[in-house]
Amino acid sequence: MATTNRSDRGGGPASALLSTVADAVAPGRVVAREASHLARELLQISLGSSSVAPAKGDWRFADPAWNENPVYRRIGQAYLSFTGSMDRLVDEVEKSGKDSDQARFAVTLLTSAVAPTNFLLGNPAAIKRTFETGGRNLARGLRNWAGDLRHNGGMPSMADPEALQVGRDLALTPGAVVERDEVAELIQYTPATDSVRARPVLVVPPPIGRFYFLDLRPGRSFIEYSVARGLQTFLLSWRNPGQEHGDWDLDAYAARVLQAIDAIRDITGSDDVNTIGFCAGGIIATGVLNHLTATRDARIHSASFAVTMLDFSQRAPIQAFSNARLLSFTRARSRRAGVVAARDMGAAFTLMRPNDLIWNYWVNNYLMGQKPPVFDVLSWNADGTNLPAALHLQFLDLFETNALCQPGTMKVLNTPVDLSTIKVPTFATGGMTDHLTPWKGCYRTTQLLSGPMTFVLSNSGHIQSLVNPPGNPKASYYTGRQPGQDTDEWLTTATKHTGSWWEAWADWITPHSGAEQPAPRSLGSPTFEPMTAAPGDYVRRAPGL
């Protein structure tokens, strides 16, 4: 029986986080200096001589009243001065050599929550809306709040769950499930070209969230683009685990990848496959690669990684959750529940961007009295999945000990992990503004593996870099020379391109995909006959079903 510690008995994650922040406070003299600076700035604000202004693009202060009305202008400036002071205090924590991630996280939560725009009287746009509707916006907002309290854990909804449906509006690329077991369905997609490349590609999505962020809508689908480039494309659709699946660990998922590879080889007649792992799916694919390398098995010809971090020593905002007490609490809760619930997983990621992912919808849903916008990415984000306790605990260990980067520290499929032994051709991507897997951490993959390396940097964030179809004039990416140890040097010498990294990936993988051959006239094989039309059953199922 696990020993119960203080963090497990009470207080929860909030107290654990605040404890760490308290341990990292800036020296008293720094606090006094910043308080004096804030007092002077507030005096200037009261006299109307302050130059404090919101950052360009800050949606909270878009209403003209924040510039034209002297009362609102002063309220906004006072708030921005306070947040600036808090940010500088955290900067001092970082300069002192202490870990500032927890402090920055807590300060961001605080300053986001107290923004004047979150309250009716502090939001001129909401006041105008109230006069225009005769208060009906507030009545609708109250109904929205009550609905979220009952059905969304009290968090403001980002999407209407009925607006967009999987199989009707989302995940529409034609294909079929050709193999299924209790862990995942294997989907083969229908070729869109008369000829295809002989060597297929297996897409390994993360076990966190549904796979269809890779197949949102026509024109915004990575899968659709892949088959349009003449690639025989297969994808694993992970089952949404229930409490009874709490023992599924990294070995279970890695073994499922190997099983899928063998089915693909039977269906296509190819001796080997290419893989592309997205986010945590790349970690699973890496474990498989390491095992195959150690056993001298050549079933994977090349490997691609999209926004995947293997080295967790790199600074990342998610390190705000790395406090020892918080990790202890999280481990204990995961063991008891058997799974990490979809709502808890979603809340953790949401809290990392509170202005955009909480208060934006708070204002829209409750103060303005409007429904959440209908948007495919938001619908996918609201359609979360559980994570098995065993896999979750292993991910926490990786996060805390960085075991993937220490040869022999951990095993996958009973094989000691040594990333330097992996020598297949590798393609890796990162997102320049990614807040979950910062691009310099993704770049580190090119230094950990030993084969020929290609790195491409997208100009956007985590999900934006993945849902990144060609043709978007705002999208761009960087390509450069063979990656070396210095990330900044690589970027300085890189070439910027307009468009999507999807194009660079397809151009890279095509030469690794064998000769052209006529596209198959039907899906599956005598051994693996088509079962259910894509997107399959598992993507629609509730936990444990």
Side-chain angles (χ1 to χ4, degrees), residues 66 84 117 129 141 203 207 211-213 227 232 242 253 366 397 429 499-500 525:
W66 292 107
T117 46
R129 182 71 172 166
V203 179
F211 79 82
Y212 63 88
F213 72 91
V227 296
Q232 296 192 73
Y253 283 84
Y366 308 154
D397 288 341
T429 74
S500 168
S525 70

Side-chain angles (χ1 to χ4, degrees), residues 136 138-150 365-366:
R136 288 190 297 274
L138 298 181
R140 289 192 296 265
L142 184 61
R143 288 196 298 269
N144 291 342
W145 174 80
D148 285 339
L149 193 63
R150 289 195 305 269
N365 300 1
Y366 308 154

Side-chain angles (χ1 to χ4, degrees), residues 113-241:
V114 300
T117 46
N118 298 336
F119 308 93
L120 178 61
L121 294 180
N123 192 318
I127 291 177
K128 293 175 187 175
R129 182 71 172 166
T130 302
F131 279 108
E132 290 169 356
T133 66
R136 288 190 297 274
N137 61 308
L138 298 181
R140 289 192 296 265
L142 184 61
R143 288 196 298 269
N144 291 342
W145 174 80
D148 285 339
L149 193 63
R150 289 195 305 269
H151 305 298
N152 201 44
M155 297 285 281
S157 297
M158 299 183 199
D160 179 353
E162 303 301 323
L164 298 175
Q165 295 293 312
V166 174
R168 185 192 71 188
D169 309 291
L170 308 170
L172 300 178
T173 302
V177 174
V178 291
E179 187 221 3
R180 177 189 293 131
D181 71 359
E182 67 171 357
V183 178
E185 292 178 328
L186 177 64
I187 300 174
Q188 179 184 10
Y189 288 95
T190 304
T193 53
D194 293 334
S195 61
V196 295
R197 294 286 171 168
R199 181 176 291 116
V201 58
L202 171 61
V203 179
V204 184
I208 305 168
R210 312 277 186 175
F211 79 82
Y212 63 88
F213 72 91
L214 298 170
D215 188 25
L216 277 174
R217 301 176 107 172
R220 284 168 57 77
S221 166
F222 175 85
I223 299 299
E224 176 191 51
Y225 181 76
S226 179
V227 296
R229 289 295 300 260
L231 299 171
Q232 296 192 73
T233 306
F234 294 77
L235 176 142
L236 277 167
S237 172
W238 303 114
R239 183 176 182 174
N240 189 3

Side-chain angles (χ1 to χ4, degrees), residues 285-303:
T286 300
V288 174
L289 269 168
N290 179 83
H291 173 72
L292 294 180
T293 300
T295 56
R296 300 183 183 276
D297 190 324
R299 277 180 276 178
I300 293 180
H301 175 80
S302 77

Side-chain angles (χ1 to χ4, degrees), residues 308-314 402 405 419 428-429 438-449 453 455 483-485 487:
T308 294
M309 280 184 67
L310 302 179
D311 184 351
F312 291 94
S313 68
Q314 303 295 300
N402 202 27
C405 296
L419 300 185
T429 74
W439 79 268
K440 291 186 178 182
C442 298
Y443 182 96
R444 274 285 295 154
T445 297
T446 68
Q447 307 303 299
L448 297 172
L449 278 58
M453 296 289 168
F455 185 78
Q485 292 187 357
T487 54

Side-chain angles (χ1 to χ4, degrees), residues 29-101:
R29 58 181 175 78
V30 176
V31 176
R33 185 180 67 204
E34 195 55 51
S36 176
H37 174 86
L38 178 59
R40 291 194 301 271
E41 189 62 47
L42 292 176
L43 177 61
Q44 289 183 313
I45 290 170
S46 67
L47 297 174
S49 58
S50 173
S51 61
V52 173
K56 184 178 179 180
D58 190 334
W59 60 267
R60 299 173 298 177
F61 302 100
D63 191 277
W66 292 107
N67 288 322
E68 299 170 359
N69 185 294
V71 174
Y72 277 114
R73 184 172 64 249
R74 285 170 169 81
I75 291 173
Q77 288 178 326
Y79 167 74
L80 293 170
S81 297
F82 167 70
T83 60
S85 290
M86 296 298 290
D87 287 339
R88 285 189 293 272
L89 285 176
V90 178
D91 291 340
E92 290 296 331
V93 173
E94 188 170 358
K95 289 178 184 178
S96 70
K98 296 180 180 179
D99 189 349
S100 63
D101 293 298

